[in-house]
Amino acid sequence: DGGITQSPKYLFRKEGQNVTLSCEQNLNHDAMYWYRQDPGQGLRLIYYSQIVNDFQKGDIAEGYSVSREKKESFPLTVTSAQKNPTAFYLCASSINGMKETQYFGPGTRLLVL
Amino acid sequence: AQRVTQPEKLLSVFKGAPVELKCNYSYSGSPELFWYVQYSRQRLQLLLRHISRESIKGFTADLNKGETSFHLKKPFAQEEDSAMYYCALKKRDYKLSFGAGTTVTVRA
């Protein structure tokens, strides 16, 4: 449970600013994911990565970017192109790829100033 | 389309009463379905999956292919069951498709 950490807990973004959300896991999981959680809409997949140095767009990738340089880290950048960034962002990971159960981090709430 | 629908945004029950959260899905083939729960100030966690056919914290969920449903049930709700519940479907590309969620409040 405590193997997936996200920071910061709260993040404020100014207009035109890029911000980066951190996700780290020490579970030795291969796959990692970023979701956006909005009230009344459930979770929507932004990006996912099945292996180091590889990642794929999810359902709502526009305005976001990711990297996967290390197995344990999958940072998400919310760019200025994302016009409605205010949301709760959840990171998840799973062992041995996407067939396995996903375990979630505690989340980061992003607010726009 | 491979989709999950949770028709109830809010559900309020008294302690000790039965609770049922509805989940319907659209999927051609054999679906893999899950229920996730998010308690206040805690992270989202897996509650149960239909493959396991298990009962977790008194909750059960049966896959009904004829009605394309995977409703979550508990015969006697407890105050600690108050939470947000998400039904999820694993699609053919192994991505999870989540429903909009149901907030359950169990009153004393």
Side-chain angles (χ1 to χ4, degrees):
Chain A
D1 188 60
I4 304 175
T5 57
Q6 290 185 242
S7 62
K9 193 172 181 179
Y10 297 95
L11 187 57
F12 297 91
R13 192 190 93 164
K14 294 180 182 177
E15 291 288 338
Q17 187 183 39
N18 293 355
V19 292
T20 298
L21 286 64
S22 168
C23 178
E24 304 276 331
Q25 53 97 1
N26 61 2
L27 302 169
N28 201 32
H29 284 179
D30 296 300
M32 296 186 74
Y33 314 79
W34 274 105
Y35 291 90
R36 173 179 169 138
Q37 187 179 23
D38 294 283
Q41 294 195 54
L43 277 71
R44 291 179 291 167
L45 182 64
I46 304 173
Y47 267 99
Y48 64 100
S49 167
Q50 298 191 69
I51 196 168
V52 175
N53 291 322
D54 183 62
F55 49 83
Q56 307 293 330
K57 291 182 179 180
D59 300 317
I60 55 163
E62 186 175 349
Y64 300 98
S65 66
V66 294
S67 63
R68 187 87 186 277
E69 297 175 3
K70 298 186 294 182
K71 188 175 186 178
E72 57 270 23
S73 178
F74 191 41
L76 173 75
T77 297
V78 184
T79 74
S80 57
Q82 172 48 244
K83 297 306 177 189
N84 185 23
T86 297
F88 193 56
Y89 290 87
L90 288 172
C91 178
S93 69
S94 62
I95 194 167
N96 292 336
M98 297 178 70
K99 293 183 181 181
E100 306 296 332
T101 300
Q102 293 181 28
Y103 296 89
F104 286 82
T108 292
R109 186 165 297 282
L110 177 61
L111 299 162
V112 177
L113 294 176
Chain B
Q2 302 163 64
R3 190 171 58 235
V4 171
T5 303
Q6 291 180 251
E8 304 139 328
K9 275 190 177 179
L10 303 169
L11 199 56
S12 181
V13 298
F14 283 107
K15 179 181 173 182
V19 60
E20 181 180 40
L21 288 75
K22 291 186 169 48
C23 172
N24 290 92
Y25 66 90
S26 60
Y27 187 88
S28 55
S30 294
E32 190 173 347
L33 287 149
F34 307 81
W35 276 99
Y36 279 83
V37 60
Q38 191 171 29
Y39 300 103
S40 179
R41 299 188 186 86
Q42 293 187 31
R43 62 187 68 194
L44 190 68
Q45 56 187 284
L46 179 67
L47 181 62
L48 54 79
R49 59 172 93 183
H50 91 272
I51 286 179
S52 304
R53 300 187 66 83
E54 57 201 342
S55 174
I56 303 293
K57 300 185 179 183
F59 284 98
T60 58
D62 293 317
L63 178 62
N64 186 323
K65 290 186 179 180
E67 296 183 359
T68 59
S69 68
F70 187 57
H71 303 331
L72 183 68
K73 302 176 186 178
K74 185 169 183 176
F76 307 103
Q78 302 300 313
E79 289 180 76
E80 55 265 30
D81 296 327
S82 295
M84 172 74 91
Y85 292 81
Y86 289 99
C87 184
L89 166 73
K90 185 166 282 186
K91 300 186 286 187
R92 284 188 193 80
D93 58 5
Y94 302 112
K95 296 177 193 174
L96 285 177
S97 177
F98 286 85
T102 299
T103 301
V104 173
T105 302
V106 181
R107 294 176 287 168

